[in-house]
Amino acid sequence: MERENIKSSSLRLFVTTFYNSLESSEIAEKIYYELNQLKDNLLEVMDEEGNTAVVENKLRIAVQFLSERTLEFLSNIDTASYIDAINQFNELHKEDREPVNVTITSAVALKQKQKDRIIKAFRKKVENHHLYVKEVVDESVLGGVKLESDNYSFDNTLQTKITEMRKYLLEDQ
């Protein structure tokens, strides 16, 4: 029983880590859709066939049509745990009511500590929503960072600061 709990908690940790590493809500949605199609097919075959070899063969056929990210997810899981892993993925996806896609734009690639600090601050603005972070390096930014999501924009780039300063100076004339 204890071994089952360890295996189960390891699976949950993997599924959670994988889900949190997804780049966008669109990718999460696609994986969700593909996993549930696979789950439906697996459950149907398992009900009809008692033969493990038949189930394995149908599984090999089914996975040929899955995306690379879905295959990446499945490749790290024992076949016997697919249904449990899919159910856990579904739970996370259901909790992720309104995911937020956020783009961080900077002149140079940010270090992980910098990204973490920016994301931590942004997370306060969007409460407990799951963030899908995309980093963009744009040399025209010159310096600073810009954060953009569907409902929020924060521009702390050098270009914006210069533009604001220019407006402020021209207003006084």
Side-chain angles (χ1 to χ4, degrees), residues 6-170:
I6 292 170
K7 188 177 179 182
S8 178
S9 63
S10 295
L11 181 62
R12 177 164 289 287
L13 178 63
F14 167 74
V15 173
T16 303
T17 302
F18 182 86
Y19 191 86
N20 289 335
S21 74
L22 296 174
E23 298 86 7
S24 71
S25 58
E26 290 81 14
I27 292 171
E29 189 65 32
K30 181 175 184 170
I31 293 171
Y32 172 81
Y33 176 76
E34 290 180 348
L35 287 175
N36 281 291
Q37 281 190 318
L38 179 64
K39 177 183 169 184
D40 291 344
N41 289 334
L42 279 174
L43 291 173
E44 185 180 314
V45 171
M46 290 164 68
D47 284 344
E48 292 173 4
E49 306 287 340
N51 186 340
T52 308
V54 173
V55 173
E56 291 286 332
N57 187 42
K58 295 219 180 206
L59 183 59
R60 270 193 295 280
I61 293 168
V63 297
Q64 293 177 28
F65 302 101
L66 300 176
S67 68
E68 189 175 314
R69 288 305 301 255
T70 304
L71 289 172
E72 178 186 337
F73 175 76
L74 294 171
S75 70
N76 290 291
I77 301 168
D78 180 40
T79 309
S81 299
Y82 277 7
I83 300 295
D84 190 28
I86 292 169
N87 288 338
Q88 290 181 29
F89 188 95
N90 289 346
E91 281 179 37
L92 289 171
H93 194 66
K94 192 168 111 179
E95 290 170 8
D96 199 6
R97 319 173 305 284
E98 295 178 41
V100 176
N101 294 315
V102 61
T103 303
I104 301 174
T105 306
S106 61
V108 295
L110 298 172
K111 294 178 181 164
Q112 190 60 46
K113 272 188 169 181
Q114 292 171 313
K115 279 193 279 192
D116 290 344
R117 195 174 72 239
I118 292 167
I119 291 167
K120 183 178 179 182
F122 187 71
R123 214 176 270 289
K124 290 177 184 175
K125 295 276 186 199
V126 296
E127 297 172 357
N128 291 327
H129 295 284
H130 182 77
L131 296 180
Y132 294 100
V133 180
K134 176 182 177 186
E135 184 179 2
V136 175
V137 175
D138 180 357
E139 293 175 3
S140 69
V141 169
L142 302 176
V145 295
K146 180 168 42 171
L147 256 68
E148 295 175 294
S149 72
D150 294 337
N151 299 323
Y152 182 80
S153 180
F154 174 74
D155 191 338
N156 195 28
T157 61
L158 189 56
Q159 185 63 45
T160 300
K161 297 286 184 193
I162 292 170
T163 302
E164 288 173 356
M165 190 180 297
R166 181 180 294 137
K167 282 181 186 176
Y168 178 74
L169 292 173
L170 291 176

